[in-house]
Amino acid sequence: MSDDEADPELLELLRQSLFTASVPHNGVSSNTGVLKDAEYIYNNSIDVAIGMHGTKAAAAGIYKAMQERNYSTQAWSEHELHPKLSEDFSEVDMVNFIFTMDLLNFSFWSALDETERFQVEYQGRRWTGYNSLVACLRRGLDEGIPITTPRYWRSPECTDEALHKVFRSTTEESMPMLQERLAVLREAAAILHESFADDDDLEGEITTKELPIRTRASEALDSTTDTTIEHDKTHAVAMDEFTVPESSGAATLTNRPVDADVVAPVDTVNESPIDTTTTKAQNPDRADEADQHQSPPAPDLSITKSEDNDEISTQHEAFTSSPPRPDMSVVRLIGEANRSAGKLVNLLAKHFPCFRDETRFDGRKVRLLKRAQIFVADLWAALNGTGHGEFNDIDNLTMFADYRVPQMLHSLGVLSYSPTLLYRLRDRKEIPSGHSWEVQLRGCSIWAVELIRRDIVREHPEAEGKVNAVLIDFFLYDLAKEREKGMGGELEIPHHRTRSMWY
Ligand SMILES: Nc1nc2c(c(CN[C@H]3C=C[C@H](O)[C@@H]3O)cn2[C@@H]2O[C@H](COP(=O)(O)O)[C@@H](O)[C@H]2O)c(=O)[nH]1
């Protein structure tokens, strides 16, 4: 057999492993179809394009920066609010925390300015956006509310009042789409109970007496000397056409469903409308995911002690707890996926309407599945690919079609827009939810990250199996946040990649 002939035994092995992996065990495939749909969207997009020159330059810059930072799943645990195994969280606690977080991980947009928008004060700092959600969950646990235990969401103790307290704001503005979030929690609790609960779950109801242990991290954060309010300096990412001139009023990329309380200003993408058979509450991804294009950061306000802190310290001093009976329903859901990331994404979309992030484009149903994929990716990263975070096909996940990463892709010259789309956004005019423009932005972002990944592996074969769409996405999201806080967030494009290149 010559060198360039494939080894038949190896081929057979490969065929078998691919066949068994994709054969639907319990009727659920490991193929999500998201990347194929993203390519279809890209091939049929007329208002969003992917610049090959920008893509190759961005790939070089991203890979260089990831190497310099030794960027890996470890970065997930370095996020100061993320739960860590090194704290008092058991692996089941982590799983339940991440499930709760990613159930609710959508649309933190506000039309108000930096000081008035929804924000959460936790451990002497103020958190906005995604961070505000994580801070609410941590604060709830510290205050003795088992907010990350699905069984709690359907218990008598879990009143709307109790939930409003968990997600309370430090400002007058409440958490965006709070009602939808509460509805999602309660719906998920019922689905987990019906489809994945174990016998234990059927015994008695959790009461607030069985409360999770306060985590060491919260104690560590307690000691945070930094009393400067953390600013989510949400000025627009440089050069991003979605930067809204300060003078402009609110506008939308797409309007929220008619009963929404606010319309989102332009940014890039919404989490898409989903299949229309379900209500908005079930499908919060319809919400506009719009960035806050706010004026320059508000002045630092130092706070020494907030009434919240007093409340927390009082509460948890008097607070004793015995470890609650673990709620294993999410672990059981993960187990049904047999360590396949794709299968777990499909299970989430199959059982939970709120994760069913699908829409129609050019007469065809397309799946984007942003939060279903982000949940699996968060599990994988938080547990460093071990235990309930171990997946044999994690590289099949795609970029998560939110609005932050597309913003970065645009500012890096990877995505470009037609003049009509560009002006429409700059004018901050409404675009109906599910509009082709929204789907083009989300689908082309997914495809662009795939092209970046392919270019990295082409130029650096050693990156195969190491740099995947998940890590590129996480890296670009973190870069966007660094840039937003004025902490750099720049990419150095290696010179040799900026010359004109064939493609
Ligand atoms: N594509 C993508 N979208 C992401 C994230 C994250 C956070 N992931 C953490 C886990 C690992 C990473 O290192 C991050 O630390 C949140 N989002 C989305 O952004 C929006 C909130 O934005 P803002 O208001 O600016 O906080 C909202 O739709 C939310 O769903 C990501 O990673 N990728």
Side-chain angles (χ1 to χ4, degrees):
M1 179 178 74
S2 72
D3 284 354
D4 56 2
E5 278 176 44
D7 176 340
E9 277 178 40
L10 187 63
L11 271 180
E12 183 48 33
L13 259 180
L14 196 62
R15 199 173 292 115
Q16 276 178 19
S17 70
L18 283 177
F19 178 70
T20 40
S22 65
V23 151
H25 156 82
N26 62 21
V28 177
S29 160
S30 59
N31 177 9
T32 68
V34 172
L35 191 60
K36 173 178 60 55
D37 288 351
E39 184 177 22
Y40 170 78
I41 294 167
Y42 167 65
N43 288 332
N44 294 277
S45 286
I46 51 174
D47 294 287
V48 181
I50 297 175
M52 290 309 138
H53 198 89
T55 299
K56 292 180 85 63
I62 290 166
Y63 184 68
K64 181 172 182 292
M66 289 176 87
Q67 290 295 90
E68 286 163 356
R69 298 183 188 198
N70 195 18
Y71 197 83
S72 72
T73 52
Q74 198 49 46
W76 198 95
S77 301
E78 285 156 16
H79 184 296
E80 49 201 324
L81 290 175
H82 282 167
K84 303 159 183 63
L85 287 173
S86 57
E87 301 171 306
D88 296 344
F89 286 93
S90 70
E91 187 169 337
V92 175
D93 293 343
M94 297 276 287
V95 164
N96 287 342
F97 189 108
I98 292 167
F99 183 78
T100 311
M101 185 176 78
D102 286 328
L103 263 183
L104 308 174
N105 187 2
F106 57 85
S107 188
F108 302 100
W109 172 77
S110 165
L112 301 178
D113 75 20
E114 188 61 16
T115 51
E116 296 171 311
R117 65 181 284 203
F118 168 72
Q119 50 199 279
V120 172
E121 192 175 298
Y122 178 61
Q123 306 300 349
R125 296 173 66 181
R126 287 191 185 182
W127 309 87
T128 54
Y130 163 80
N131 288 335
S132 66
L133 168 63
V134 194
C136 281
L137 299 183
R138 276 233 184 234
R139 183 180 62 184
L141 292 177
D142 288 359
E143 293 175 352
I145 308 292
I147 188 59
T148 56
T149 302
R151 193 187 299 124
Y152 169 69
W153 306 336
R154 52 186 183 79
S155 73
E157 285 81 1
C158 184
T159 60
D160 274 2
E161 188 195 357
L163 289 174
H164 278 88
K165 180 167 180 273
V166 169
F167 297 107
R168 68 185 183 277
S169 173
T170 304
T171 62
E172 289 304 306
E173 187 184 43
S174 56
M175 181 182 254
M177 297 186 75
L178 183 56
Q179 287 318 314
E180 284 76 10
R181 294 181 210 270
L182 305 191
V184 160
L185 277 184
R186 297 195 196 286
E187 179 192 68
I191 293 167
L192 285 169
H193 182 58
E194 283 144 30
S195 311
F196 301 97
D198 55 15
D199 308 347
D200 277 10
D201 287 318
L202 303 176
E203 287 166 26
E205 291 300 324
I206 189 169
T207 64
T208 40
K209 282 193 294 302
E210 291 175 327
L211 298 171
I213 298 170
R214 191 169 178 281
T215 61
R216 263 202 296 275
S218 308
E219 271 136 19
L221 277 169
D222 255 341
S223 61
T224 308
T225 48
D226 168 9
T227 56
T228 310
I229 295 174
E230 186 250 9
H231 281 292
D232 188 6
K233 294 180 181 65
T234 51
H235 47 77
V237 166
M239 300 181 293
D240 189 322
E241 276 72 7
F242 295 97
T243 310
V244 178
E246 277 176 35
S247 56
S248 65
T252 61
L253 173 63
T254 59
N255 61 326
R256 292 168 178 237
V258 286
D259 55 349
D261 43 6
V262 285
V263 284
V266 73
D267 186 30
T268 46
V269 285
N270 305 304
E271 293 181 52
S272 90
I274 21 13
D275 84 54
T276 48
T277 54
T278 44
T279 66
K280 184 187 80 169
Q282 289 172 327
N283 298 285
D285 288 332
R286 306 180 56 107
D288 293 299
E289 282 295 349
D291 196 6
Q292 296 90 31
H293 291 279
Q294 301 299 334
S295 53
D300 270 358
L301 307 171
S302 292
I303 46 168
T304 45
K305 203 123 178 78
S306 80
E307 72 291 344
D308 272 0
N309 274 349
D310 287 334
E311 200 177 315
I312 293 174
S313 53
T314 319
Q315 291 227 7
H316 75 77
E317 268 142 30
F319 159 61
T320 55
S321 74
S322 58
R325 200 166 11 91
D327 184 325
M328 302 299 285
S329 53
V330 180
V331 165
R332 195 154 285 97
L333 159 65
I334 295 167
E336 282 218 4
N338 273 345
R339 302 210 182 290
S340 164
K343 207 168 283 184
L344 184 51
V345 167
N346 284 334
L347 278 168
L348 288 162
K350 174 183 171 188
H351 289 282
F352 300 85
C354 77
F355 279 120
R356 205 170 298 147
D357 178 9
E358 303 169 344
T359 184
R360 301 194 71 79
F361 180 74
D362 268 8
R364 171 171 146 176
K365 185 171 106 168
V366 290
R367 308 179 96 204
L368 299 167
L369 301 181
K370 175 219 155 184
R371 283 185 301 110
Q373 294 197 92
I374 219 171
F375 168 63
V376 181
D378 280 339
L379 273 182
W380 173 69
L383 300 171
N384 285 306
T386 65
H388 300 307
E390 181 187 347
F391 298 102
N392 51 38
D393 58 347
I394 193 72
D395 293 349
N396 292 346
L397 293 190
T398 72
M399 170 263 178
F400 318 118
D402 75 320
Y403 61 86
R404 274 286 179 220
V405 175
Q407 200 182 50
M408 276 310 283
L409 292 170
H410 190 259
S411 65
L412 293 171
V414 176
L415 292 184
S416 55
Y417 308 125
S418 68
T420 37
L421 173 56
L422 210 50
Y423 296 138
R424 181 64 174 261
L425 291 167
R426 274 192 172 148
D427 295 346
R428 301 176 65 81
K429 287 240 178 56
E430 278 201 20
I431 298 171
S433 189
H435 190 283
S436 160
W437 280 340
E438 174 202 357
V439 185
Q440 290 180 55
L441 285 161
R442 297 184 80 196
C444 290
S445 297
I446 292 172
W447 190 243
V449 169
E450 172 61 12
L451 294 179
I452 287 170
R453 185 196 66 77
R454 291 183 185 182
D455 195 71
I456 288 174
V457 171
R458 184 184 306 119
E459 296 295 323
H460 309 278
E462 71 280 13
E464 181 71 67
K466 294 200 180 76
V467 174
N468 57 23
V470 170
L471 288 177
I472 294 170
D473 174 287
F474 282 170
F475 175 80
L476 287 172
Y477 174 85
D478 291 345
L479 200 66
K481 299 304 280 183
E482 283 170 22
R483 201 182 268 193
E484 183 186 77
K485 290 180 189 140
M487 290 158 44
E490 300 308 325
L491 267 191
E492 259 175 69
I493 308 293
H495 180 66
H496 73 284
R497 300 306 300 275
T498 51
R499 285 196 304 278
S500 65
M501 286 166 280
W502 62 271
Y503 196 82

